Amino acid sequence: MTTTEKRPDRRRERTLHLLSEALLDLLKEQDYANITIQDITDKANVSRATFYLHFRDKDELLFSSMKRIYDELSKGYPAVTRSEFTLAAYDVHDARDFEHVAAHADFYRAMLGAHGSPQFIRMVRAYLENLMREDVLKPLAPPDAHLPLDFIAAFMAGAEIGVINWWLNQGGEHSPEQMAQMMARMCLGGLGWALKLPVDPNDIPT
Amino acid sequence: MTTTEKRPDRRRERTLHLLSEALLDLLKEQDYANITIQDITDKANVSRATFYLHFRDKDELLFSSMKRIYDELSKGYPAVTRSEFTLAAYDVHDARDFEHVAAHADFYRAMLGAHGSPQFIRMVRAYLENLMREDVLKPLAPPDAHLPLDFIAAFMAGAEIGVINWWLNQGGEHSPEQMAQMMARMCLGGLGWALKLPVDPNDIPT
Amino acid sequence: MTTTEKRPDRRRERTLHLLSEALLDLLKEQDYANITIQDITDKANVSRATFYLHFRDKDELLFSSMKRIYDELSKGYPAVTRSEFTLAAYDVHDARDFEHVAAHADFYRAMLGAHGSPQFIRMVRAYLENLMREDVLKPLAPPDAHLPLDFIAAFMAGAEIGVINWWLNQGGEHSPEQMAQMMARMCLGGLGWALKLPVDPNDIPT
Amino acid sequence: MTTTEKRPDRRRERTLHLLSEALLDLLKEQDYANITIQDITDKANVSRATFYLHFRDKDELLFSSMKRIYDELSKGYPAVTRSEFTLAAYDVHDARDFEHVAAHADFYRAMLGAHGSPQFIRMVRAYLENLMREDVLKPLAPPDAHLPLDFIAAFMAGAEIGVINWWLNQGGEHSPEQMAQMMARMCLGGLGWALKLPVDPNDIPT
DNA sequence: TCCTAAGCGAGACGGTACGTCTTGTCTTCCA
DNA sequence: TGGAAGACAAGACGTACCGTCTCGCTTAGGA
């Protein structure tokens, strides 16, 4: 077993990385829609032709750039069990998401805003729906849930995006943990009912 | 004193109307982002220069086109009172929204999709948030609500958009009424708690 | 009868003229093949897009630029008759061509040289062949000429181009008149024989 | 002292040959100007980098490819003497050129056509002029020729190119021998006069 | 037989020009 | 005066070649 399975071509990796960084950098300063490919390649010190060597368009670079972040983010979500369905558990899970958003606030503000990318919104939505469906709903749901799991996932993903949007365009008075808690409390009732979960009465806060 | 204070100039009105119609027509066929101003003026049998005589850009025409629709939609929402906060009432309100979406399914699919308009999404979001805040939350909320009304509005608006999105890209198995009911059931618990509403125990469906 | 048959659109004419001039100017400085469309539009103070509004490519501009010059040049060739076929007459005709070339020496040197345009050479060749065939050979030739008229035209056009080429890349020791005379003397014999013309014995110089 | 001064490296020779062949092959199908270096290396099954290892550009490959052909062609022209200046002798010489062109008709059509190479035309012209000057004019010309030898060479070379051009773009009704004869008859008079040659009266055909 | 320098394949890269597409502004003329 | 027609500047787009380069593999020919 040799270590030389593939040669990764350092130059290529370097270029991809430079482009990725350039895009993310630019997003801190301006809206996604207004960024030209020339802007990106200028910032990355790369020829425009080189860009097209690796990506079909801006979106493809964006998605490629996001992929690793998301892989890393979603990795490490421990599965939940029905018995664990408590506010406390929910809080922990969701706080991770909000922390991620907070860490890339400029980026998300640019992408979700009025000059952002509908493609990106779609992607985030799909990501969140999938996460919810696979990691939360499927493990928890009884066979005879009150609502279609896809519906619930869409509801939750939408709500989360809505809430993130609000959070980003607001002073930043709330911590990720607070946001997660607020989310959890808004969801708990509906989720519990839809999935026929035995909601701990103590869990309903006063 | 003559009656001719303004002359409305029929030609002008006619042109505006033609452009409006052309855009809405085109949206049934293709994504918003891919529609050019030339497309619109071609369809409207109008010179491109004329377009710029009336609108700064595509978005301005879009918003102008949407305005009347939304005015008509939002008009007629009767206010709600705390005592009325029941699933039944909720269902009725929301069903109107879903019916509206169903009536313009092509349009919404185009606008909210991967090649839609972020501006439009933002507008819809703002519209829904405002509706929720002004017509539902403010009348219902006690002074010491558990959560900020803006947060709740963002949550609800986001969830609704998420759900609409799912609904549009899915066979259409559910009627507007069903959608409204499903929404209501997902929201009821959280909303009741947040606003400290005396949720009728009979209202919690089994 | 009104004067307003068409409106020529002064702007358009002006732009075409600017582009034409720019190209001819640039040809004095550099080879045709090395001139980019950007070079032309820069020199003409015109947007590159405007260029493509009027011409498909560089060649089309070139030909359009040349057309008027050639129209003017070929106009005014009086027809020749068999009885007039003398060196003197030939000299006069051809001297006009050489004068034209001398007047645009830079241009022709650039176009016919190693970095010139094969398309252009072809055009000049076709022009000369046509001129020879229509204005000289057809009027003069008997029905039973010794050689195909097209062959003779090709021979003459080629010889003229060859001679011009030599002339342009040589000190310029010869006047247009001298060139025309030298050409005439090289051609007279063959032409006379091919067309069965009664060559005046006095016309054969010593 | 060994005989191994250089090692020829068969691989190198093979590559050069492949490239040469590829170019000539391609020229049978399309115009020179439209052939890219990638086309050539693809056809030769050679990497593009390898091309640049051996040639600066397309023209260099072309000229290198042509060289052997021309060496072989020009070799074997026996010198002519004044007494030999007859149509018969002329015919023989020139027929060789026309046969060569006929053997490579596709090639010459591509190179001399509207999308050919001006460089190549220049080369052919220079080749023909030189041939004429050195092998025909210098041996034959008296010290007091009526016209400059360079002029005559340019005239003859141009005429030949013109005639070849016509021949290539015409049905191919004439054999190389016929072409040579027609050329000879067009040239004989002028050449004889210019060089003060005693043209055999019997030689003037009827 | 080994070894070593070359030829070579693969392909990333910078660079330049291309021709196309929109956008928004403008001018001219017509109804 | 509103609109039609369309020229124009501006500038991004995606494509096509070019010539250079780096990295390894392979292979011929000298040791």
Side-chain angles (χ1 to χ4, degrees), chain D residues 9 11 15 45-47 49-50 54:
Chain D
D9 199 340
R11 273 185 303 169
T15 300
N45 272 320
V46 145
S47 141
T50 302
H54 301 296

Side-chain angles (χ1 to χ4, degrees), chain A residues 68-147:
Chain A
R68 38 182 162 170
I69 301 184
Y70 277 84
D71 284 350
E72 164 201 324
L73 181 68
S74 61
K75 177 177 57 196
Y77 269 102
V80 243
T81 63
R82 281 182 75 87
S83 60
E84 276 178 339
F85 184 74
T86 60
L87 271 181
Y90 196 104
D91 288 358
V92 172
H93 287 149
D94 241 31
R96 286 191 42 149
D97 288 351
F98 285 104
E99 269 156 14
H100 166 76
V101 170
H104 303 88
D106 289 325
F107 171 73
Y108 280 101
R109 215 186 334 265
M111 296 306 297
L112 300 176
H115 295 275
S117 160
Q119 301 250 28
F120 177 76
I121 299 180
R122 183 192 198 75
M123 198 184 81
V124 171
R125 192 181 298 282
Y127 169 78
L128 289 174
E129 286 184 0
N130 190 63
L131 200 65
M132 181 62 58
R133 196 187 321 101
E134 302 301 323
D135 287 4
V136 178
L137 300 180
K138 285 196 177 165
L140 290 180
D144 59 342
H146 278 129
L147 296 173

Side-chain angles (χ1 to χ4, degrees), chain D residues 7 9 16 28 34 41 44 55 61 106 114 130 138 149 184:
Chain D
R7 56 196 159 112
D9 199 340
L16 296 188
K28 290 174 189 156
N34 299 331
T41 54
F55 304 100
L61 169 58
D106 288 328
N130 191 63
K138 284 197 178 163
L149 298 196

Side-chain angles (χ1 to χ4, degrees), chain C residues 131-169:
Chain C
L131 199 66
M132 181 62 58
R133 195 185 324 99
E134 303 302 322
D135 287 4
V136 178
L137 300 180
K138 285 196 178 165
L140 291 180
D144 60 341
H146 278 130
L147 297 173
L149 299 195
D150 285 344
F151 172 89
I152 309 177
F155 179 97
M156 301 288 289
E160 182 131 5
I161 291 174
V163 156
I164 287 172
N165 218 39
W166 168 77
W167 189 37
L168 286 171
N169 296 294

Side-chain angles (χ1 to χ4, degrees), chain C:
Chain C
M1 174 185 153
T2 61
T3 49
T4 339
E5 297 175 45
K6 296 179 199 175
R7 58 196 156 109
D9 198 339
R10 309 266 170 65
R11 276 180 306 166
R12 183 188 178 108
E13 296 304 329
R14 184 173 162 276
T15 300
L16 297 188
H17 188 255
L18 286 174
L19 287 171
S20 232
E21 287 302 299
L23 176 56
L24 298 191
D25 263 26
L26 286 169
L27 277 172
K28 290 175 189 157
E29 303 161 18
Q30 55 183 311
D31 293 321
Y32 179 71
N34 300 331
I35 297 176
T36 70
I37 289 177
Q38 185 76 65
D39 289 340
I40 300 172
T41 54
D42 281 357
K43 189 133 204 161
N45 273 319
V46 144
S47 143
R48 197 158 67 89
T50 300
F51 177 94
Y52 288 105
L53 208 59
H54 300 295
F55 304 100
R56 202 170 348 94
D57 52 27
K58 215 173 27 169
D59 282 335
E60 197 169 304
L61 168 58
L62 175 66
F63 293 163
S64 136
S65 302
M66 297 308 305
K67 197 155 193 237
R68 38 181 161 170
I69 301 185
Y70 277 85
D71 284 351
E72 164 201 325
L73 181 68
S74 60
K75 177 176 58 196
Y77 269 102
V80 243
T81 63
R82 282 181 77 85
S83 60
E84 275 178 339
F85 184 73
T86 60
L87 273 181
Y90 197 105
D91 288 358
V92 171
H93 287 148
D94 241 30
R96 285 191 43 149
D97 287 351
F98 285 104
E99 268 157 14
H100 166 75
V101 170
H104 303 87
D106 288 327
F107 171 73
Y108 280 100
R109 216 185 334 264
M111 296 306 297
L112 300 176
H115 295 276
S117 160
Q119 300 250 29
F120 178 77
I121 300 182
R122 184 192 198 74
M123 199 185 80
V124 171
R125 193 182 297 284
Y127 168 80
L128 289 174
E129 286 183 0
N130 191 64
L131 199 66
M132 181 62 58
R133 195 185 324 99
E134 303 302 322
D135 287 4
V136 178
L137 300 180
K138 285 196 178 165
L140 291 180
D144 60 341
H146 278 130
L147 297 173
L149 299 195
D150 285 344
F151 172 89
I152 309 177
F155 179 97
M156 301 288 289
E160 182 131 5
I161 291 174
V163 156
I164 287 172
N165 218 39
W166 168 77
W167 189 37
L168 286 171
N169 296 294
Q170 180 239 13
E173 310 165 13
H174 301 269
S175 68
E177 289 75 23
Q178 284 177 300
M179 291 301 294
Q181 285 172 22
M182 288 159 73
M183 266 298 282
R185 276 150 198 74
M186 277 302 290
C187 298
L188 194 72
L191 218 48
W193 173 77
L195 302 182
K196 301 187 175 172
L197 287 166
V199 177
D200 182 346
N202 300 330
D203 226 22
I204 296 179
T206 30

Side-chain angles (χ1 to χ4, degrees), chain D residues 81-150:
Chain D
T81 63
R82 283 182 75 86
S83 60
E84 275 178 338
F85 185 73
T86 60
L87 272 181
Y90 197 105
D91 288 357
V92 171
H93 286 149
D94 241 29
R96 286 192 42 146
D97 288 351
F98 285 104
E99 269 156 14
H100 165 76
V101 170
H104 303 87
D106 288 328
F107 170 74
Y108 279 101
R109 219 188 328 267
M111 297 304 296
L112 300 176
H115 295 275
S117 160
Q119 301 251 25
F120 178 77
I121 299 180
R122 185 192 197 76
M123 203 185 77
V124 171
R125 193 182 296 282
Y127 169 81
L128 289 173
E129 287 183 359
N130 191 63
L131 199 66
M132 181 61 58
R133 197 187 320 100
E134 301 303 323
D135 287 4
V136 177
L137 300 179
K138 284 197 178 163
L140 290 181
D144 60 341
H146 277 130
L147 296 174
L149 298 196
D150 284 343

